[in-house]
Amino acid sequence: MEGTLFSKMVRYDGMISNETRKLLIRLADRYETAEFITGDPSWWMHQVQGSRNQEATAFVASGLSYGSRSQFMPRIGQLLEWAGSDMDDWLRTGAYQEHFALGDKSCFYRLYNNDTMRRFLDAYRAMLVEHGSLGEYLSALHSPLSTLHSIEVICRWFSEHNGGAVVPKDASSACKRVCMFMRWMVRDGSPVDLGLWKNIIDKRTLIMPMDTHVVSEAMKLNLLTSRCASMSAAQRLTDAMREVFPDDPLKGDFALFGYGITPH
C-alpha cells in the first residue's frame, strides 16, 4: 500500500538539524490548540452541525480563503448567513441562486464576481445531488486514495463542470486552499481539524498548504531552497515535515504558522 500512496511524492533530500526538529515539534504542540481556530477560516466549520454541513461549509470557506482574513472572513460569514447555517441544504436545493446570477459581473470578493461564484456553486451542487457529498464522491473511487490523486479528482470535476476559477483547473499549482481543506477533512485527533475523511484518505499523504508566507518561513528554516510555490515544491516541503512527523506530516503546518509569529 505504501508504494501506491507515496508513488508521486517528491523526496526531500536535505538534512534537518536536531535543533530545527525540536523547534518544529515544540511549535506544533504549542499552536495546534482550540485557540488556533479563532480568526482562522477553519472556525466556520465548527459553527455548524452535521458532517455533510460541516464538509460543505469547510469547502466553500476554503475556496474564499485568500488575501486578508479581515476581508474574506466576513464574506464567508455572509454566505453562511444566507444559508441559515445549513450550507449543505442551501447548495443542494439551489437556494444560493437567489444571490448569484449567471453573467453578473458584480464583485463578490476580490477576483470572484457573482458569475464566478454561481458557476462554482452550480458545479458543487451537481456533485452533491449526484453523489451525496464530496467525501462520498471520493470514497466511491478506488482506494486507498492519496491526497494528490484526490486533489486531481476534485480539480477535474470542477473543470469539467464549468466551475470557474475558485478551484484550480488542475494540480500543477500548489492548490493551497484545496490542500488546506484536505487537512481539515482528513486529520483526526485534532482540536482544529475534523477528521471526517480519516477512513477515506491516509493523513500521511496530506500535502502542505503552500503560499508565499509558508514558503518564506520554510526557507528561513532551510526546508526549501526556492520561492516557487508549485505542487512539487509543496510535496518537497511535506516530505521534509514527514522527516519530523512521519505519521502526520501536516502537524508541520501548525509549526510553520507558529514560527511566523513567534519571536526568534
Side-chain angles (χ1 to χ4, degrees):
M1 182 178 83
E2 187 135 331
T4 300
L5 289 174
F6 293 95
S7 61
K8 291 189 178 182
M9 290 295 176
V10 181
R11 297 303 301 171
Y12 172 70
D13 56 4
M15 292 289 289
I16 299 178
S17 69
N18 286 334
E19 181 180 358
T20 298
R21 184 185 303 271
K22 291 177 182 178
L23 174 64
L24 291 171
I25 292 171
R26 185 168 67 250
L27 289 173
D29 289 341
R30 181 188 303 174
Y31 287 97
E32 189 183 2
T33 66
E35 288 72 27
F36 176 91
I37 297 170
T38 303
D40 188 76
S42 62
W43 185 83
W44 297 104
M45 66 191 186
H46 291 275
Q47 309 311 306
V48 300
Q49 301 297 316
S51 58
R52 279 185 171 182
N53 191 21
Q54 286 182 306
E55 179 184 305
T57 299
F59 189 63
V60 173
S62 69
L64 270 71
S65 297
Y66 72 99
S68 168
R69 288 186 177 190
S70 64
Q71 294 180 331
F72 70 68
M73 289 291 280
R75 293 284 80 194
I76 298 169
Q78 179 68 78
L79 293 179
L80 203 57
E81 181 181 337
W82 285 340
S85 295
D86 194 339
M87 187 71 73
D88 179 72
D89 182 72
W90 190 62
L91 296 170
R92 197 179 300 276
T93 61
Y96 62 88
Q97 295 173 1
E98 173 187 350
H99 302 280
F100 300 109
L102 290 172
D104 182 357
K105 302 301 183 180
S106 302
C107 178
F108 178 71
Y109 173 63
R110 296 190 66 178
L111 300 177
Y112 299 165
N113 57 39
N114 287 343
D115 178 76
T116 302
M117 291 296 298
R118 172 63 179 271
R119 294 179 187 279
F120 164 58
L121 297 176
D122 278 350
Y124 192 17
R125 181 195 183 199
M127 177 183 287
L128 299 182
V129 171
E130 185 173 346
H131 297 283
S133 70
L134 180 47
E136 290 172 271
Y137 175 57
L138 292 175
S139 66
L141 304 175
H142 295 296
S143 60
L145 287 174
S146 72
T147 296
L148 181 58
H149 181 206
S150 300
I151 292 172
E152 291 170 342
V153 168
I154 292 170
C155 290
R156 186 179 308 119
W157 174 277
F158 282 86
S159 177
E160 292 177 350
H161 289 78
N162 196 24
V166 178
V167 177
K169 63 180 180 180
D170 57 42
S172 59
S173 69
C175 296
K176 184 257 185 179
R177 287 166 292 152
V178 182
C179 288
M180 179 178 66
F181 168 74
M182 299 293 285
R183 195 201 83 202
W184 295 346
M185 293 297 101
V186 174
R187 289 187 71 249
D188 58 339
S190 171
V192 179
D193 303 322
L194 294 177
L196 298 178
W197 296 358
K198 63 182 181 180
N199 295 322
I200 301 174
I201 296 168
D202 191 324
K203 66 182 176 183
R204 294 175 300 165
T205 72
L206 286 170
I207 299 170
M208 284 288 291
M210 177 180 281
D211 57 17
T212 55
H213 171 75
V214 170
V215 170
S216 177
E217 301 308 315
M219 290 186 71
K220 292 175 185 176
L221 288 166
N222 297 316
L223 301 176
L224 288 174
T225 59
S226 169
R227 293 193 178 276
C228 176
S230 63
M231 179 57 74
S232 60
Q235 289 178 282
R236 284 194 294 273
L237 178 57
T238 305
D239 217 40
M241 291 302 182
R242 193 174 290 112
E243 299 295 323
V244 182
F245 309 103
D247 296 322
D248 188 10
L250 259 60
K251 279 190 75 71
D253 196 17
F254 296 93
L256 286 188
F257 170 83
Y259 187 71
I261 64 174
T262 302
H264 45 266

